[in-house]
Amino acid sequence: MRHQAKGETTMDLIQEGKVKRVLQDPDSAERVIIEFTDAVTAGDGAKKEEFSGKGNVATEMSHYLFGYLEGKGIDTHYVKKLSSNQLLCKKVTIFPVEVVCRNIAAGSFCRRYGTEKGTPFPEPLVEFFLKDDEYHDPLITADAIIRLGLAKRDELEFMKSVTLSTNYYLGEILKQRELILVDFKLEFGKTKKELIVLADELSPDSMRIWDSNTTSMDKDVFREDKGDLIGAYNKVFEEIKKAKPQDVEQRTESIQVIVEPKSGIKNPPGEVTKKALGRLGFAEVEEVRVGKVFVITLKRPLTTEILNHLAIMNLKLLSNPISETNKVRIE
């Protein structure tokens, strides 16, 4: 299908969603153009209206926030802003999973568990949802995602890590302006080079934001008919632009590399430990294998490139590929 954006060059339409279109970049097979519309939807599209200027503010905010996160070391699909409602982005294959991070109970979480709206969580909560309109984007466990072949375990751990970093960086600039990041939804994609990057958009369409009086400044204004949607979106963006990203401290992350002796390889420390446990009365112990754990602290958010570097570290220094196995655990 062909699509002509605002009287300009005709481009191939790759996908049309509820509020955005994905167009093929005519200049590069490896890039796409994300076009934001003025549509706003709720309830799986059951409620839908057009709000003049919504596409523009969603574009501007996504442009600003993707750039901010890139500056903090988070890989995204963003390349540059093309127009008031278009972003040029890397072409990615989107994982059919939405990642939601919650700091405060609201929305579907309260309906699902009966939790009182506004209850803060002691730590951010990350949930996965299946991207499927027919089944209303149901909550899905990591094990189910893996069994269905939608993503691998290490890919989910990576997405969770990036989501928590995004939560920190977005939350900090909003906090500077006395705004509260309640929860938000992210999507991830994989590039042709197998790099996993943050994709889709970053705007009040996909976030729940409250002011200091817990007044909604996001799509809940539309969902619950609370007032001026575009006014709320513009207010959030104006406040974000007044924040000082340079004052947000860099978030460190830790990775564990667990090294174990291969099965069938003699492990004298394990044998000594087993004998000692036997003397202490733990006769049920069949085998003990002693390995080692490296805890590596990163000074920037985790990226696919860093994981690739870690694989080289394992081969060259951290483990012996002949006698040991290793696995990476993202904390």
Side-chain angles (χ1 to χ4, degrees):
M1 184 181 294
R2 309 289 284 177
H3 173 76
Q4 190 166 12
K6 293 191 174 182
E8 298 175 354
T9 306
T10 300
M11 292 170 281
D12 288 327
L13 177 65
I14 297 175
Q15 182 180 1
E16 183 159 14
K18 299 185 187 79
V19 299
K20 294 187 293 292
R21 300 183 187 95
V22 182
L23 310 168
Q24 178 60 55
D25 176 20
D27 298 322
S28 172
E30 300 307 317
R31 292 182 175 179
V32 296
I33 295 169
I34 309 295
E35 184 174 273
F36 294 76
T37 73
D38 286 339
V40 181
T41 67
D44 289 333
K47 183 178 182 180
K48 182 174 182 177
E49 289 185 35
E50 298 272 333
F51 290 85
S52 178
K54 195 236 71 174
N56 291 355
V57 70
T59 303
E60 292 289 346
M61 195 177 301
S62 294
H63 154 69
Y64 185 91
L65 291 177
F66 276 132
Y68 164 59
L69 293 178
E70 287 272 1
K72 295 298 183 181
I74 294 176
D75 286 342
T76 79
H77 72 159
Y78 170 74
V79 177
K80 66 178 181 178
K81 187 178 76 168
L82 292 178
S83 70
S84 62
N85 75 327
Q86 292 181 333
L87 298 181
L88 182 65
C89 299
K90 301 164 192 168
K91 180 181 281 188
V92 298
T93 301
I94 294 289
F95 287 92
V97 173
E98 295 176 344
V99 188
V100 172
C101 184
R102 303 183 187 275
N103 298 302
I104 298 172
S108 64
F109 187 91
C110 295
R111 294 192 296 273
R112 198 184 318 137
Y113 301 115
T115 308
E116 183 179 355
K117 180 180 178 180
T119 302
F121 297 121
E123 298 289 339
L125 171 67
V126 176
E127 298 178 313
F128 298 103
F129 292 82
L130 180 66
K131 279 175 58 68
D132 192 315
D133 288 343
E134 182 180 354
Y135 293 99
H136 307 291
D137 299 335
L139 182 71
I140 187 170
T141 65
D143 282 346
I145 292 170
I146 295 163
R147 299 297 184 274
L148 291 171
L150 306 179
K152 299 174 183 176
R153 188 172 299 279
D154 60 343
E155 292 173 332
L156 291 178
E157 290 177 352
F158 177 82
M159 286 187 267
K160 180 178 178 180
S161 173
V162 174
T163 298
L164 290 172
S165 289
T166 300
N167 181 57
Y168 168 75
Y169 288 118
L170 293 181
E172 286 298 304
I173 58 168
L174 288 170
K175 189 190 302 180
Q176 287 183 16
R177 305 307 304 169
E178 297 186 348
L179 295 173
I180 302 165
L181 182 60
V182 178
D183 57 44
F184 61 95
K185 171 185 72 71
L186 297 179
E187 295 188 22
F188 290 85
K190 187 179 286 188
T191 68
K192 186 177 180 180
K193 295 181 179 180
E194 297 292 300
L195 300 178
I196 299 175
V197 298
L198 183 60
D200 197 41
E201 68 172 299
L202 294 169
S203 81
D205 265 7
S206 57
M207 303 179 193
R208 187 172 272 114
I209 300 169
W210 293 346
D211 68 11
S212 57
N213 297 315
T214 70
T215 300
S216 296
M217 307 290 289
D218 51 68
K219 198 163 70 170
D220 277 353
V221 174
F222 170 68
R223 289 189 185 100
E224 301 170 13
D225 297 314
K226 289 182 175 180
D228 182 6
L229 180 79
I230 300 304
Y233 278 31
N234 281 325
K235 176 65 174 175
V236 169
F237 188 38
E238 289 304 315
E239 291 299 325
I240 286 175
K241 288 190 292 184
K242 293 175 185 176
K244 298 179 179 179
Q246 67 273 18
D247 290 348
V248 178
E249 294 184 3
Q250 198 73 16
R251 180 178 186 263
T252 60
E253 296 197 47
S254 293
I255 295 176
Q256 289 187 4
V257 179
I258 302 168
V259 180
E260 299 176 352
K262 287 184 177 179
S263 180
I265 300 290
K266 282 193 173 184
N267 184 233
E271 294 170 2
V272 170
T273 303
K274 180 188 174 184
K275 289 177 181 177
L277 289 171
R279 289 194 296 270
L280 291 172
F282 298 104
E284 67 273 18
V285 176
E286 175 66 24
E287 181 185 22
V288 177
R289 295 161 66 201
V290 176
K292 51 196 173 186
V293 176
F294 296 92
V295 179
I296 299 174
T297 301
L298 305 173
K299 59 183 179 181
R300 54 169 290 187
L302 189 63
T303 64
T304 309
E305 182 182 28
I306 289 175
L307 287 178
N308 291 338
H309 289 170
L310 198 59
I312 297 172
M313 290 184 212
N314 280 332
L315 287 173
K316 292 189 173 182
L317 178 65
L318 303 183
S319 63
N320 182 339
I322 296 174
S323 60
E324 296 174 318
T325 63
N326 67 75
K327 58 184 177 182
V328 175
R329 177 180 296 163
I330 302 170
E331 295 187 324

